Amino acid sequence: MNITTEQLTKVHPGGLCALDAVDLHIESGTVGLLGANGAGKTTLLRILTGVLRPTSGRVHVAGHDLSTSSGLAAVKRTLGYLPQELSLYPDLTAREFLDYIGVLKGIHDRRERRRQVDERITEVGLSDRAGERLAGFSGGMKRRVGIAQALMGAPTVLIVDEPTTGLDPHERMRFRTLLAGLGRGRTVLLSTHILDDVAQTCPDVAVLASGRLVFHDSTTALVSRAAGCTYVHRPTGHAEGPPPGAEVVSAVTTSTGTEYRIVTTSPPAGARPVEPSLDDGYAALLGADVRTHSTSIPTVR
Ligand SMILES: Nc1ncnc2c1ncn2[C@@H]1O[C@H](COP(=O)(O)OP(=O)(O)OP(=O)(O)O)[C@@H](O)[C@H]1O
Ligand SMILES: [Mg+2]
């Protein structure tokens, strides 16, 4: 297993329990990490990278035990991490910044560092801007530098926290293609709010809700959560608004009324069944989780 947590718990200063006995086992490939704002995603990723210490529980990354100082040092050297808020040094050029990261990762041979910097710059498509100062880079270019720095040192485990937030649609598509290629031969854990990114780049998905791991299975298994209970419904007559009790996935209003996409086990008369998407599966999972306040874990492998 490349990432393993056992009963991982984090209580932040102030008493908030951000992670509650999380057992997560990831072998390889790209895994999407989903969850609402404050669900505990960044807390989990920061613990996996060794930036944050857990309150209790065990964590192994790439075979290293993070409770030991040697394991912690090894993980920091070998793992790639793109944090949610990455600080770049605005006065450095992209090439200088990556070289500096190479030094921090322990690549002491100057020629080897240069080789890796060149490779990473080409990989993320920044060859023609590598000599420019980071201060002049757009948000999308900064994210690409962020991925390039995470890839220095050829990490077998890559942790990426909300890499596409704030990118324009075209840049997001480019970034998604880049991310999809990164899962080959390594483990990538990708936290995001954008379900499309997961649908298109992650064969597997894990979901956190209020610090608990409530799902870890294939992305298609999450879609299946909404199979047979996804509908499109347009209220008629005096009925207004979505049917009570249904999870509303989307609402489209036109001059003739509002059409709701809903996930429900008791559809209103006239609702049209449709094939579920990942949005619907996610709504079904979290809707059920909220309704039952379940402390058991329905689908975790
Ligand atoms: N350093 C901290 N001190 C105290 N509480 C914290 C700290 N960091 C996070 N928290 C709390 O822990 C919970 C989980 O936060 P976390 O940042 O892990 O969530 P997240 O899933 O990454 O959210 P988002 O989607 O908004 O990035 C939140 O309630 C947050 O307020
Ligand atoms: Mg976060």
Side-chain angles (χ1 to χ4, degrees):
M1 289 287 176
N2 249 333
I3 296 176
T4 303
T5 73
E6 291 162 49
Q7 294 292 295
L8 175 61
T9 298
K10 177 67 186 179
V11 181
H12 280 300
L16 192 131
C17 182
L19 292 175
D20 185 2
V22 170
D23 289 319
L24 179 66
H25 305 284
I26 297 174
E27 188 74 70
S28 61
T30 304
V31 179
L33 179 61
L34 295 173
N37 289 126
K41 302 178 298 296
T42 297
T43 301
L44 173 64
L45 299 188
R46 294 182 75 215
I47 289 174
L48 294 178
T49 57
V51 174
L52 196 66
R53 302 302 295 265
T55 306
S56 61
R58 294 179 69 78
V59 184
H60 285 81
V61 175
H64 304 292
D65 182 348
L66 265 65
S67 68
T68 67
S69 50
S70 59
L72 208 53
V75 162
K76 283 190 176 172
R77 239 187 351 263
T78 57
L79 170 135
Y81 178 35
L82 175 56
Q84 192 165 356
E85 320 267 345
L86 174 69
S87 350
L88 300 172
Y89 294 83
D91 290 334
L92 297 186
T93 67
R95 182 178 296 285
E96 286 165 349
F97 176 67
L98 293 176
D99 187 68
Y100 169 66
I101 296 293
V103 173
L104 293 186
K105 290 223 173 153
I107 310 166
H108 298 303
D109 183 280
R110 190 181 296 238
R111 278 183 33 205
E112 169 58 17
R113 223 166 46 234
R114 191 186 169 87
R115 188 189 66 76
Q116 284 203 29
V117 169
D118 283 343
E119 261 184 32
R120 297 296 79 83
I121 284 171
T122 309
E123 193 170 5
V124 302
L126 282 174
S127 300
D128 50 344
R129 311 291 296 265
E132 293 178 27
R133 279 163 27 120
L134 295 169
F137 276 27
S138 72
M141 288 161 65
K142 286 180 183 158
R143 295 293 165 88
R144 282 191 257 156
V145 173
I147 277 290
Q149 65 79 32
L151 290 171
M152 287 296 291
T156 53
V157 177
L158 190 62
I159 306 276
V160 192
D161 200 353
E162 296 201 33
T164 58
T165 308
L167 298 186
D168 71 52
H170 187 239
E171 187 66 43
R172 215 172 81 213
M173 283 178 226
R174 287 188 54 149
F175 210 85
R176 235 165 26 200
T177 312
L178 175 63
L179 286 172
L182 299 179
R184 246 174 267 126
R186 58 164 72 88
T187 303
V188 182
L189 186 55
L190 163 73
S191 157
T192 182
H193 287 290
I194 301 168
L195 294 173
D196 261 3
D197 288 354
V198 172
Q200 302 200 17
T201 55
C202 305
D204 288 344
V205 63
V207 183
L208 284 173
S210 306
R212 289 177 299 115
L213 183 68
V214 293
F215 185 92
H216 180 201
D217 204 331
S218 67
T219 306
T220 49
L222 183 50
V223 174
S224 304
R225 284 298 176 107
C229 51
T230 304
Y231 301 86
V232 168
H233 177 58
R234 182 184 280 263
T236 51
H238 293 298
E240 272 181 25
E247 295 296 319
V248 179
V249 178
S250 63
V252 179
T253 300
T254 63
S255 57
T256 57
T258 301
E259 191 169 84
Y260 296 94
R261 188 179 179 97
I262 53 174
V263 174
T264 180
T265 48
S266 27
R272 178 164 50 89
V274 289
E275 280 297 306
S277 67
L278 186 57
D279 290 44
D280 306 319
Y282 184 66
L285 173 76
L286 291 195
D289 186 66
V290 169
R291 271 194 298 275
T292 58
H293 295 286
S294 161
T295 49
S296 65
I297 299 171
T299 309
V300 175
R301 67 182 185 194

